[in-house]
Amino acid sequence: MIRMSRKAWNNVLIFSVLIMILLFNTTNNILTGSLDEDAPVPLLPDGAILMTLQMPDLTLERIGQGWRTSKPSALSESQLQALTQRWQTSQMVKYQEGTPKDMPLVVIAWLAGENSGRVYQLYGAGEHTLVLYEQQLFKISNVAVEQFIAAGKS
């Protein structure tokens, strides 16, 4: 056995523990897939219950299993249901290019059990929608921005 002083063995122990922590941390990142930047992210968290959508011209509120609008709208109950379903099922991926220069459409989603609303800035990009959420830009492919908003009657 190697003869070392007590102080030297303490140093060996400390460095070995630090190496183990580093090893566990990197293997955990690899196993959980947190290094995958291109993985789709849900627009709203899985299993979240959407209570209210505040849009530029209209507010949608959950009433039981259905939806109502804050002012008269030309949208039917099935169209409102499809709109909210689109919010709950859409997947987005990180977008690496710059933020568009045009004005965003701001939508606030209120979820059950949360004290504050989630603020989304939506930008139209042809047949795609760009979403700025928590200072990160995402893209939802093949869905135009108009499919995420509802317009009320004037």
Side-chain angles (χ1 to χ4, degrees):
M1 187 159 134
I2 301 174
R3 292 195 171 258
M4 289 194 289
S5 67
R6 178 178 226 133
K7 191 175 186 180
W9 277 113
N10 283 342
N11 287 340
V12 169
L13 184 61
I14 289 171
F15 281 111
S16 62
V17 168
L18 287 174
I19 290 170
M20 291 296 288
I21 290 172
L22 181 65
L23 180 67
F24 289 147
N25 191 25
T26 56
T27 56
N28 182 43
N29 288 344
I30 292 170
L31 292 175
T32 58
S34 60
L35 297 177
D36 188 10
E37 294 290 324
D38 295 331
V41 177
L43 183 60
L44 296 177
D46 291 332
I49 299 172
L50 182 62
M51 299 304 291
T52 304
L53 271 178
Q54 292 177 325
M55 299 178 193
D57 295 330
L58 195 64
T59 298
L60 302 178
E61 298 173 329
R62 178 182 292 275
I63 51 165
Q65 296 296 317
W67 294 91
R68 70 175 174 198
T69 58
S70 58
K71 58 184 177 180
S73 172
L75 298 174
S76 68
E77 177 67 29
S78 62
Q79 289 172 319
L80 294 176
Q81 187 71 30
L83 176 69
T84 56
Q85 188 67 25
R86 189 171 302 113
W87 271 87
Q88 292 176 318
T89 59
S90 292
Q91 298 283 319
M92 54 189 185
V93 294
K94 285 198 175 185
Y95 188 68
Q96 302 302 327
E97 297 176 28
T99 305
K101 301 294 182 218
D102 53 340
M103 291 294 294
L105 296 169
V106 177
V107 178
I108 303 172
W110 293 84
L111 304 178
E114 292 188 2
N115 292 332
S116 58
R118 294 173 177 241
V119 179
Y120 296 91
Q121 295 179 26
L122 306 177
Y123 298 91
E127 63 183 27
H128 309 297
T129 299
L130 300 180
V131 179
L132 184 62
Y133 175 66
E134 292 183 344
Q135 280 76 41
Q136 289 188 334
L137 191 61
F138 297 93
K139 178 174 91 168
I140 301 174
S141 298
N142 302 322
V143 182
V145 70
E146 292 80 15
Q147 294 176 323
F148 285 105
I149 60 169
K153 286 184 180 175
S154 297

